Amino acid sequence: MTRLTEELIKDVPSKVNSLDEELIEKIGMDMREFACYSMGVKKKDIVFEDYSVAIVPVTSGQGVIGGFSASVAAAAESLGMHSFVTRSCDVMGISEAFSSAADIIFMADDDRFIALNTRTRSFADNIWATAKGYVTALSLADGGLKGKRVLVIGAGRVGSEAVRILMKEGASVEVTDIIPRRAEDLQRRHKGVKARPNVDDAISDNRLILNASPGLISGKLIQKGAVISSPGVPYAFDEEGEKRAKVIIHDVLSLGVAVMAAASVSLSLFNIPAAGVVAERLVIE
Ligand code: 2YJ
């Protein structure tokens, strides 16, 4: 998974509020409604304002990313949650979050990004939340996916999870990756998934695309009227691609955080007391 950088997330806090307008235009829902819908709950069932969220900066691996914690805090605030970044990092930060009675603790190292619900002791994982959120957004933007062909670009962790979720939605899934073996692995793992060895051909053959790769996509390959949901960073599209596509849904952080937040809250709504489980395993399946 691509590591975020200070440069990639620098606009998150200032742009997070205008995301609502963009989402309404593209998928017919604002961020709160979208996050709830992704979890299969109604907007009125989650009172985001009741939740206190702590973000703990984590120094392990390549260390703290300037603006990362503040961006997660801004995304949680935009949902109506009360959020704060702990003064300390790591274990000291976690103890600070607990002693401040945070309901949900967000923390990320270079490999995992989780929202840990301190009431239910369960957690939502960013890889799952990103895949779930972007599949949901694609579905909303195109009036459902059942029986439709969708191409997943990138067979990494988000792409693989997206393939699994799309199959459950009843889509007919194609997958492509610059390393063809990875797409073939997914084909082997999921009955009905078709691996496409040539990335460019796969893109130009498909109108519905979920892009979970860090590569740039030439606009020449994009079909007119394409509907694209693109969690991949950096942003993959040029002017021509933007002109040809009907919709491109993309954001570096906030959408994933919103679904993680809704997932953590939904778990307490459903009063599921399980420890250390990824949200979907309980709520969706
Ligand atoms: O606390 C910090 O500032 C850092 N330890 C944050 C690290 C952020 N982690 C990543 O960028 C991982 N690749 C996961 C990010 C998932 C976003 N979709």
Side-chain angles (χ1 to χ4, degrees):
M1 169 178 259
T2 315
R3 188 172 195 269
L4 295 170
T5 61
E6 194 166 341
E7 176 62 22
L8 279 170
I9 56 176
K10 70 177 185 332
D11 294 330
V12 172
S14 60
K15 293 222 171 116
V16 72
N17 289 319
S18 58
L19 264 179
D20 271 342
E21 244 170 79
E22 191 186 325
L23 278 185
I24 289 171
E25 194 194 311
K26 291 178 176 173
I27 64 171
M29 285 181 188
D30 66 14
M31 190 65 101
R32 284 163 67 122
E33 191 173 4
F34 160 72
C36 295
Y37 183 83
S38 296
M39 290 309 298
V41 296
K42 295 200 171 66
K43 194 174 169 181
K44 69 169 178 42
D45 292 334
I46 295 185
V47 184
F48 285 101
E49 288 76 5
D50 284 352
Y51 291 84
S52 162
V53 172
I55 298 93
V56 178
V58 173
T59 64
S60 73
Q62 295 183 59
V64 166
I65 299 171
F68 176 77
S69 295
S71 298
V72 177
E77 285 280 330
S78 79
L79 295 170
M81 294 170 133
H82 307 282
S83 71
F84 64 100
V85 178
T86 57
R87 267 165 304 165
S88 306
C89 301
D90 306 330
V91 177
M92 189 75 124
I94 295 173
S95 61
E96 194 184 318
F98 264 88
S99 49
S100 311
D103 303 303
I104 296 165
I105 303 176
F106 280 83
M107 50 196 162
D109 61 16
D110 297 339
D111 196 44
R112 285 203 94 166
F113 176 22
I114 63 165
L116 179 68
N117 187 320
T118 62
R119 296 188 198 170
T120 60
R121 296 173 58 227
S122 52
F123 66 89
D125 177 84
N126 178 261
I127 289 165
W128 168 80
T130 303
K132 180 72 184 169
Y134 280 85
V135 169
T136 304
L138 185 68
S139 175
L140 286 166
D142 205 57
L145 297 175
K146 204 172 170 56
K148 295 183 186 170
R149 200 175 72 208
V150 179
L151 173 70
V152 175
I153 309 172
R157 291 194 291 175
V158 172
S160 303
E161 194 63 4
V163 165
R164 191 183 67 78
I165 296 169
L166 282 162
M167 292 297 287
K168 269 178 60 186
E169 296 271 318
S172 154
V173 182
E174 296 193 345
V175 61
T176 191
D177 193 288
I178 48 164
I179 304 169
R181 181 185 45 77
R182 288 194 184 170
E184 284 158 20
D185 282 350
L186 281 174
Q187 175 176 274
R188 222 168 295 129
R189 228 182 306 150
H190 300 278
K191 198 170 173 279
V193 168
K194 183 174 174 195
R196 298 285 309 255
N198 185 305
V199 177
D200 289 4
D201 289 350
I203 295 171
S204 47
D205 282 348
N206 280 283
R207 183 182 67 82
L208 294 174
I209 291 177
L210 193 141
N211 173 44
S213 89
L216 300 180
I217 298 173
S218 163
K220 289 199 289 277
L221 301 171
I222 305 286
Q223 283 190 11
K224 282 217 171 72
V227 176
I228 302 171
S229 192
S230 185
V233 287
Y235 181 69
F237 304 94
D238 57 22
E239 232 174 84
E240 188 171 358
E242 286 176 350
K243 232 182 273 159
R244 290 185 184 216
K246 186 172 147 217
V247 184
I248 299 175
I249 300 148
H250 169 78
D251 149 83
V252 277
L253 190 72
S254 308
L255 244 92
V257 167
V259 177
M260 289 167 83
S264 319
V265 172
S266 311
L267 289 169
S268 31
L269 274 182
F270 296 129
N271 198 22
I272 294 166
V277 285
V278 178
E280 181 177 12
R281 311 278 181 255
L282 286 167
V283 177
I284 307 294
E285 289 184 337

